[in-house]
Amino acid sequence: MPASAASSPLTTADTVLTGARVRTLDPDRPWAGAVAIKDGRIAAVGDERDVRDWRGAATEVVDLAGATLTPGLVDGHSHPVWGVEMATGLDLSQVRDLDALRTSLARAARALGPGEWLTGWGLDHNVFGGRPVHRDLIEDALGGAPAFLRLYDGHSALASGRALAAAGIDGPRRFAQRASVVCDADGRPTGHLVEHAAMELLTPVVPRASAADRRARLLALLDEMAAGGLTGAHVMDLENDGVPELLSGIEADGGVLPLRLRLAPWCMPGVDKEGLDHLVELQRLGGRHWRVGGVKFFMDGTVEGGTAWLEHADCHGQGTDAFWPDPAAYTHAVHHLARAGVRTATHAIGDAAVRHVLDTVELLGDDRRRARHRHRIEHIETVPAEQLPRFARLGVAASMQPTHTAYTRADHTDAWSRRVGEERAGRAWRCRDLRDAGAVLVLGSDWPIAHHDPRQVLATARLRRPAGRPDVAPVTPGQALTGLMALEGCTSHAALAVGEEHQAGRIAPGYRADLTALAVDPVTAPADELGTAEVRLTMTGGHLTHRTVG
């Protein structure tokens, strides 16, 4: 088959990738053997015999040594900038019980200097063994140090008594969103802070890294993500107004962001027209490898925190309230942004939250305000069957994180399952049902909630358990995706979900040169093998951001 090219005759390529099994995801040419790149775009796709015609004196030729080359892998839901702030201090993600938590905290506390804080992240609700999250369970291990520990879900934290006192928190608070300073029967704070507004009460007093340190950590993280095969991320936050300046500064200093970042600032309850118009204006911001693209909403919180919005109360009698105290105000805000052509992504975990988002999109009608896949729903941890066909019918993309199943257990003895109950736990993370119903399904990690490695995301989507852990029973195994479905979730469906299907998600002339080469075929290789497969090359916009081959 002759080479296809963006123009004819082909100008000399900047880079030629050869020695590959190229899985293009292009229906016009599903397979190839070599790819030429020019000015950050794919210039030609062809066979080994075409390589000689593409080369010039300055062309770099990279032999992929039999690797499988795919469109660049994209994390469909991640927090690399905000996550650098979240993932600070003691990594508690591997702590499995209360004794281990206390031991870890005591060891860290002994290493602190006078007046220093103990911070941590990634703490699993299951560590507490069904007990309420309470500072009394850890206070004596801290040696009097102020402590702020983020739970793994990113929506809650545990603060020590000294930390609460430093922030002036001595009782319950009222918020514009569904958030709470959890208090005991006597009105004393337990240290459990639920949702962002409550956690932000500690922001003025918890020590923060310098701007230079945050920049260095961000670049190190992005390099690590590129080494795992990622070429882009849908960033579900715009941590603060300084982020555009941070990213612009990196590029202005001659740096190249290893990942293409698409950021969606948050829209919170209480927003007025001026605030909505500001979100519209932010959509103009961007650089070489980053741009603001969309707005992130929250329709609920988390199951474990009792803030998921459910059609029926959870097993603790909670979960029947939306994150927006007035759900109609959410609908108004989405419609305002839709009229301005702004894409939206809404965090909706519970079945009532998912329904309300779908209802909101349906109310837009069939006019031009509702372009297909302009709106998407994040997480979708539990949803009844009757809601599934609405995704395809309304053009709403589903965004899911397969590695979140690591926080649940097949026997439903985990905190998430006990809270939602047997019936809802039995329909957890319905990835396959959504795909079979015709939905666009984009896959991601939600880093730092789960690890950003896309190989683990791809493998877990197929296994419904962690790769390399055959001893772990799969969670709702009927929801497993095929290898091709999983790859599409990190490539072509990720592009569809943000309206980039004409320039990303396949290997074809004119498309962006965002490419990933793995030692194994991610579609046909055993999923357990895929989870640790060598990443031979990662390329973003024609820049080699990671390579292990010549």
Side-chain angles (χ1 to χ4, degrees):
M1 182 181 295
S4 54
S7 61
S8 183
L10 171 67
T11 55
T12 301
D14 298 325
T15 308
V16 170
L17 304 179
T18 186
R21 191 169 184 259
V22 183
R23 186 181 277 279
T24 68
L25 297 189
D26 179 4
D28 294 331
R29 180 172 188 161
W31 294 99
V35 177
I37 293 100
K38 178 73 173 178
D39 296 330
R41 297 271 172 175
I42 296 169
V45 179
D47 297 316
E48 294 294 330
R49 64 178 176 268
D50 300 309
V51 172
R52 182 178 58 185
D53 297 331
W54 300 342
R55 296 177 60 174
T59 301
E60 180 176 14
V61 179
V62 180
D63 187 342
L64 294 176
T68 298
L69 185 70
T70 71
L73 300 179
V74 173
D75 190 326
H77 187 120
S78 186
H79 301 279
V81 185
W82 182 46
V84 164
E85 293 281 320
M86 291 177 60
T88 56
L90 190 62
D91 182 354
L92 300 170
S93 60
Q94 299 306 309
V95 172
R96 294 292 177 259
D97 57 45
L98 186 58
D99 287 341
L101 173 61
R102 290 166 53 81
T103 298
S104 296
L105 295 178
R107 184 184 303 116
R110 288 194 295 271
L112 294 174
E116 290 186 332
W117 281 63
L118 195 162
T119 59
W121 62 283
L123 180 58
D124 191 340
H125 289 78
N126 289 301
V127 162
F128 297 96
R131 303 178 187 87
V133 177
H134 201 297
R135 58 189 173 89
D136 285 353
L137 299 172
I138 63 167
E139 287 283 12
D140 60 345
L142 297 172
F148 181 72
L149 311 176
R150 290 184 181 272
L151 277 79
Y152 88 92
D153 60 10
H155 285 248
S156 56
L158 175 58
S160 69
R162 282 195 62 188
L164 293 171
I169 301 172
D170 57 6
R173 298 287 182 91
R174 298 188 66 177
F175 303 99
Q177 59 187 249
R178 298 289 181 194
S180 63
V181 173
V182 180
C183 294
D184 62 20
D186 296 322
R188 295 175 298 187
T190 66
H192 191 195
L193 306 171
V194 180
E195 294 302 335
H196 307 287
M199 292 187 290
E200 287 168 2
L201 295 174
L202 272 291
T203 299
V205 296
V206 176
R208 191 183 187 203
S210 67
D213 181 64
R214 293 198 303 275
R215 172 175 165 150
R217 290 186 62 204
L218 172 62
L219 287 173
L221 170 67
L222 295 179
D223 282 338
E224 181 183 318
M225 295 170 88
L230 285 171
T231 65
H234 299 169
V235 181
M236 291 298 158
D237 63 82
L238 186 63
E239 177 213 4
N240 57 52
D241 288 340
V243 172
E245 289 74 21
L246 168 65
L247 300 178
S248 294
I250 292 171
E251 293 187 331
D253 292 341
V256 176
L257 292 173
L259 266 66
R260 199 180 298 276
L261 304 179
R262 185 184 180 97
L263 302 105
W266 289 358
C267 182
M268 290 299 212
V271 67
D272 57 14
K273 183 180 182 300
E274 182 180 356
L276 291 170
D277 289 339
H278 176 63
L279 291 169
V280 174
E281 286 299 311
L282 287 177
Q283 308 301 307
R284 301 172 184 237
L285 300 179
R288 183 173 188 173
H289 279 175
W290 69 274
R291 62 160 295 187
V292 176
V295 169
K296 168 77 177 297
F297 288 86
F298 294 85
M299 203 63 245
D300 62 358
T302 68
V303 166
E304 295 92 332
T307 53
W309 187 18
L310 303 166
E311 300 284 12
H312 306 287
D314 65 25
C315 294
H316 291 198
Q318 295 179 308
T320 56
D321 295 316
F323 183 78
W324 285 62
D326 178 9
Y330 159 85
T331 299
H332 170 77
V334 170
H335 287 194
H336 182 100
L337 295 173
R339 286 192 294 270
V342 177
R343 295 177 178 274
T344 69
T346 301
H347 169 119
I349 279 176
D351 43 19
V354 173
R355 173 187 51 75
H356 187 80
V357 179
L358 292 170
D359 289 347
T360 293
V361 175
E362 188 157 31
L363 286 171
L364 285 169
D366 294 323
D367 60 21
R368 294 180 181 177
R369 291 175 296 173
R370 196 187 75 212
R372 290 189 67 76
H373 309 133
R374 178 166 286 165
H375 307 282
R376 51 190 277 182
I377 301 179
E378 310 298 314
H379 308 311
I380 318 171
E381 292 184 2
T382 179
V383 60
E386 61 268 21
Q387 299 295 337
L388 300 177
R390 300 183 70 196
F391 282 82
R393 177 166 60 83
L394 297 172
V396 174
S399 171
M400 304 186 77
Q401 299 72 48
T403 44
H404 281 195
T405 57
Y407 295 105
T408 58
R409 299 170 191 153
D411 62 4
H412 299 166
T413 58
D414 58 280
W416 186 93
S417 300
R418 288 199 306 268
R419 192 112 192 190
V420 296
E422 287 287 326
E423 190 273 332
R424 285 181 293 215
R427 48 179 166 89
W429 290 279
R430 301 181 75 164
C431 293
R432 183 57 178 266
D433 286 346
L434 280 160
R435 271 301 302 257
D436 288 348
V440 165
L441 179 65
V442 54
L443 302 180
S445 70
D446 199 14
W447 188 87
I449 310 308
H451 199 276
H452 52 69
D453 193 330
R455 296 166 295 179
Q456 289 291 324
V457 172
L458 291 170
T460 306
R462 295 165 58 187
L463 296 168
R464 303 291 292 190
R465 61 163 174 79
R469 292 293 309 275
D471 56 307
V472 176
V475 174
T476 52
Q479 297 304 318
L481 298 177
T482 68
L484 180 58
M485 288 175 177
L487 179 61
E488 289 171 340
C490 293
T491 55
S492 57
H493 280 227
L496 280 165
V498 292
E500 295 183 343
E501 64 271 23
H502 299 301
Q503 60 178 331
R506 68 175 65 178
I507 300 176
Y511 277 61
R512 294 193 302 227
D514 297 350
L515 303 164
T516 303
L518 298 170
V520 303
D521 186 336
V523 172
T524 60
D528 283 307
E529 182 180 342
L530 171 61
T532 55
E534 178 191 1
V535 180
R536 292 194 178 161
L537 176 142
T538 312
M539 173 181 281
T540 302
H543 292 272
L544 289 168
T545 58
H546 169 78
R547 65 191 293 181
T548 63
V549 290

